[in-house]
Amino acid sequence: MEHIEKTFETRELTISMGPQHPATHGVLRLVLNLDGETVVRCTPYVGYLHRGVEKLGENRTYFAALPLSDRLDYISSMNNNVGYVNAVEKLFGIEAPERAKFIRTMVAEMGRISSHIIWLGTHVLDIGATTPFLYAFREREVIMDLFEMLCGARLTVSYPRVGGVRNDISQEFLDELYDFVLDFPSKMDDYETLVTENRVWKNRTVGIGVISAEEAINWGLTGGTLRGSGVNYDVRKHAPYDVYDRVEFDVPLGKNGDCYDRYLVRIGEMRQANRIIKQCIEKLPAGPVMADAPKFTLPPKDMVLKDMEHLIHQFILITKGPTVPEGEVYMGTEVPKGELGFYFVSDGTGKPYRMRVRAPSFVHASVLPRLCEGGLIADVIANIGTIDIVLGECDR
Amino acid sequence: MTTGKFIRTIFFVEILKGLTLTFKSMLTPAVTRRYPKVKRPAKPGFRGLHALAKNEEGKMKCVGCGLCGAYCPSQCIHIYTTEGEDHNKVVDRYEIEVLRCVYCGFCVEACPFGAISLSEHYEYSDYSRDAFYMTKEKLLSNWDKYFAGKKGEAYYRKFWRPQSEDFTGHEGQAKFEKVKKLKVKS
């Protein structure tokens, strides 16, 4: 009898999910140990998209390292740019003029909507709903067109500059953005009609990937992933930068910390972002869009073309970089994924001695084993979607 | 379970609502384009393929100072200069590795002579990598192709700020009072 019992022994099955799996949102590789359909152990492997952004930043001047930040989280490059320039401005000790700050807040919230829309589309697509994906990309296209009108690029914008923004906005842009802002809540209602109450969606997300508030804090989660657990932490509220202290918005919070609550939080964030954009347009003051700090900002382009002094400034600032006060600075900003922090150590030259990027996606990827283990293999997809990671930022 | 919820559950109310929305959007005009046939014009100021500007006499504006190459974040601009007859600088080779370019437009901002520009041309594919190694001749011919006529003159003035009025503030700025929607509604 003993002999027969041994033949019924089951074994764990190890499968590798990714790095080219379409549902892993990039090049994330998960090695899953399965017992039947239950995940026993989940090990994320990151680094397939490593480009050494931090090291590259040390070999470029503070101005020229800006496009690197576009390529961290490439679907919300505007927010990364705003985070980068805010950190550098804090190090330089300069401040952007009012109008530039309003424009930055406005475009950053556009980036947030664009990022959350793509998250919504892909997350529900992973779980099986195709229609919201197509609708989501329709609205994203409008924002991409607006970005193109604003700065000439659709995805990797490189629009804000240290000390302001690259160019002033046009009236045409403001008109079209206002059209979009007035129109967008009805589009949000469409998404919610399709998804929020849908029983298939609820079965796949309610009670899946539950993480308590205390645990979420201990794992270092930020952004929508943390707020889904009911922790009221938003960098825009607690350490306001740009003009977030002068616009009204609420921070949507979840209760149970499951996939469904995180979905509701992000849906709420999109509505709030829309509200912020509307206020920014209405309150937009007149004035300069670049700080008057000749030591730290590039001179006006038309003056460079005709004036010797400005030309010399241009040469020095571009080749050597600005002369920066020594010291170190950390600046966290709220990007769609969570808290993106830039940490600079300056040795007084035009290039940073050390540039460190605190990438929310990297922290969020580390919580995947906690969310997946003990659950079903189908819920792994839901969990990857719900923490909203982008591997460009995770691997840097 | 309340009665209302029970009815909603057995009659698939939320799914029917979703299907109604999908059906309605079948009747709205399509937002997509049939791409190779219908092309989307780039917006003014688009950051596309590079071109080297020519002045009124048809000569290259670039003087070979190398500022664009120094600023370029992906370091894809290579400039080789020699000494000319009256000790002036002659640009022998001006090369851009287009496949490495990230289209940030920093070269245009850096250039103190308005010599390099990014055109609105965005469709360029080829079978060889060599086609994307832009030499001086190719870049100059791009100017003729994409900045012919008055387009080149208006280019820098319009899109490649900051200009000096952006440092001081000026009258014609975009603002909310001017938004057309308001005028329509009021």
Side-chain angles (χ1 to χ4, degrees):
Chain A
M1 286 300 279
E2 264 183 34
H3 180 71
I4 295 168
E5 270 170 22
K6 270 183 186 173
T7 58
F8 282 114
E9 217 171 63
T10 55
R11 268 190 303 140
E12 276 185 12
L13 179 68
T14 308
I15 62 162
S16 178
M17 190 171 163
Q20 261 109 27
H21 193 286
T24 55
H25 292 219
V27 283
L28 175 67
R29 180 177 173 223
L30 295 175
V31 174
L32 304 171
N33 292 39
L34 302 174
D35 176 19
E37 249 193 294
T38 315
V39 179
V40 179
R41 198 160 56 251
C42 162
T43 322
Y45 286 84
V46 296
Y48 289 93
L49 206 58
H50 177 66
R51 291 145 301 170
V53 165
E54 292 177 0
K55 194 69 192 168
L56 288 171
E58 291 165 21
N59 293 311
R60 278 153 181 74
T61 59
Y62 288 99
F63 304 137
L66 177 71
L68 295 174
S69 70
D70 281 315
R71 284 149 185 86
L72 291 173
D73 172 8
Y74 37 78
I75 58 172
S76 61
S77 53
M78 195 62 95
N79 299 67
N80 300 341
N81 286 167
V82 169
Y84 179 85
V85 296
N86 267 302
V88 175
E89 277 170 14
K90 194 174 172 188
L91 176 67
F92 287 3
I94 60 173
E95 206 167 323
E98 281 297 284
R99 187 177 171 87
K101 281 186 177 179
F102 270 92
I103 293 175
R104 272 190 209 170
T105 311
M106 197 160 75
V107 294
E109 292 307 313
M110 283 165 72
R112 191 179 313 278
I113 289 181
S114 144
S115 171
H116 278 346
I117 275 181
I118 206 171
W119 162 82
L120 174 74
T122 51
H123 184 34
V124 297
L125 183 69
D126 288 345
I127 287 180
T130 325
T131 321
F133 175 74
L134 300 170
Y135 291 175
F137 269 68
R138 180 185 61 195
E139 266 67 70
R140 182 170 178 267
E141 187 67 18
V142 179
I143 296 184
M144 293 284 113
D145 279 352
L146 285 167
F147 277 163
E148 188 185 341
M149 196 188 284
L150 179 70
C151 64
R154 292 162 62 81
L155 197 68
T156 49
V157 285
S158 299
Y159 175 63
R161 288 286 179 276
V162 178
V165 292
R166 195 190 96 182
N167 54 318
D168 200 358
I169 56 175
S170 64
Q171 189 64 46
E172 194 193 358
F173 169 82
L174 211 58
D175 286 359
E176 292 208 6
L177 181 59
Y178 202 68
D179 282 355
F180 173 77
V181 165
L182 294 181
D183 203 23
F184 187 65
S186 70
K187 308 280 183 186
M188 289 294 307
D189 294 342
D190 285 0
Y191 306 146
E192 291 217 64
T193 312
L194 287 170
V195 182
T196 306
E197 289 300 321
N198 190 301
R199 62 190 71 189
V200 184
W201 172 255
K202 275 188 147 177
N203 281 341
R204 289 296 305 274
T205 51
V206 175
I208 304 297
V210 183
I211 188 160
S212 69
E214 194 187 350
E215 256 185 306
I217 293 169
N218 289 348
W219 276 99
L221 303 184
T222 44
T225 320
L226 176 68
R227 289 192 286 273
S229 303
V231 183
N232 190 352
Y233 177 71
D234 189 322
V235 183
R236 293 175 295 172
K237 280 279 187 204
H238 292 91
Y241 53 97
D242 285 344
V243 291
Y244 283 111
D245 50 346
R246 267 169 284 167
V247 289
E248 277 178 31
F249 65 101
D250 303 326
V251 181
L253 293 177
K255 270 183 205 155
N256 309 322
D258 56 4
C259 290
Y260 190 68
D261 277 22
R262 288 191 279 272
Y263 158 78
L264 290 179
V265 164
R266 293 209 175 92
I267 288 283
E269 266 181 34
M270 273 197 260
R271 289 186 191 276
Q272 295 304 324
N274 196 54
R275 209 173 135 200
I276 297 174
I277 299 175
K278 195 168 181 222
Q279 289 175 53
C280 282
I281 298 175
E282 283 163 6
K283 289 180 183 172
L284 187 68
V289 296
M290 273 301 256
D292 188 16
K295 297 275 180 205
F296 297 114
T297 58
L298 292 184
K301 180 82 182 167
D302 53 341
M303 293 308 283
V304 173
L305 294 174
K306 57 189 181 198
D307 186 60
M308 189 68 201
E309 308 301 322
H310 287 93
L311 182 64
I312 293 168
H313 254 106
Q314 175 98 340
F315 263 86
I316 294 289
L317 282 173
I318 284 178
T319 51
K320 280 174 68 182
T323 310
V324 179
E326 277 183 41
E328 51 192 85
V329 74
Y330 173 83
M331 175 92 195
T333 48
E334 185 81 15
V335 297
K337 307 283 178 284
E339 181 182 342
L340 175 76
F342 281 97
Y343 173 68
F344 289 105
V345 179
S346 156
D347 56 356
T349 59
K351 294 170 183 175
Y353 176 77
R354 174 87 170 96
M355 176 174 127
R356 156 88 188 145
V357 183
R358 189 250 184 233
S361 293
F362 181 68
V363 182
H364 291 181
S366 72
V367 82
L368 266 177
R370 161 69 187 76
L371 294 178
C372 295
E373 282 170 13
L376 297 177
I377 187 166
D379 297 334
V380 174
I381 301 293
N383 286 329
I384 295 171
T386 193
I387 55 170
D388 195 11
I389 53 172
V390 163
L391 271 291
E393 187 180 56
C394 179
D395 298 343
R396 314 197 269 297
Chain B
M1 194 182 274
T2 59
T3 327
K5 201 177 175 188
F6 180 70
I7 290 169
R8 280 200 296 276
T9 312
I10 60 165
F11 286 107
F12 292 90
V13 172
E14 86 283 353
I15 288 180
L16 285 177
K17 269 186 193 168
L19 286 173
T20 318
L21 178 72
T22 322
F23 189 78
K24 263 189 211 158
S25 68
M26 273 164 63
L27 305 171
T28 55
V31 291
T32 46
R33 277 175 220 94
R34 303 181 72 80
Y35 164 58
K37 288 175 189 159
V38 184
K39 278 174 189 162
R40 177 181 167 282
K43 297 273 192 309
F46 183 76
R47 310 205 295 251
L49 188 65
H50 316 70
L52 271 179
K54 287 177 176 177
N55 57 15
E56 294 79 28
E57 296 157 13
K59 283 185 181 166
M60 185 169 72
K61 272 189 187 174
C62 177
V63 296
C65 68
L67 207 53
C68 49
Y71 202 20
C72 181
S74 58
Q75 293 159 10
C76 66
I77 304 177
H78 309 293
I79 304 164
Y80 302 92
T81 54
T82 46
E83 197 176 322
E85 280 169 16
D86 351 313
H87 305 293
N88 57 348
K89 211 175 192 179
V90 178
V91 184
D92 279 344
R93 286 159 65 197
Y94 187 102
E95 290 162 356
I96 296 179
E97 295 174 52
V98 170
L99 293 180
R100 275 179 63 189
C101 175
V102 297
Y103 300 97
C104 57
F106 279 13
C107 47
V108 187
E109 279 172 37
C111 184
F113 287 90
I116 187 161
S117 50
L118 294 174
S119 68
E120 288 162 22
H121 179 60
Y122 59 87
E123 294 173 305
Y124 36 98
S125 48
D126 211 295
Y127 291 104
S128 70
R129 276 169 179 269
D130 293 343
F132 297 103
Y133 198 81
M134 290 283 165
T135 57
K136 193 171 87 178
E137 289 73 30
K138 278 190 201 170
L139 289 166
L140 284 169
S141 71
N142 282 349
W143 177 265
D144 295 335
K145 261 189 238 167
Y146 307 118
F147 288 96
K150 295 214 165 163
K151 216 174 168 188
E153 288 171 30
Y155 180 72
Y156 298 98
R157 187 72 216 158
K158 248 171 141 178
F159 311 114
W160 297 99
R161 303 215 180 152
Q163 310 275 4
S164 48
E165 68 252 27
D166 287 334
F167 284 75
T168 51
H170 63 117
E171 293 289 303
Q173 279 180 325
K175 55 176 183 266
F176 177 61
E177 284 81 55
K178 290 192 204 161
V179 171
K180 64 177 179 214
K181 204 84 185 176
L182 279 182
K183 287 178 186 168
V184 174
K185 277 188 173 172
S186 58

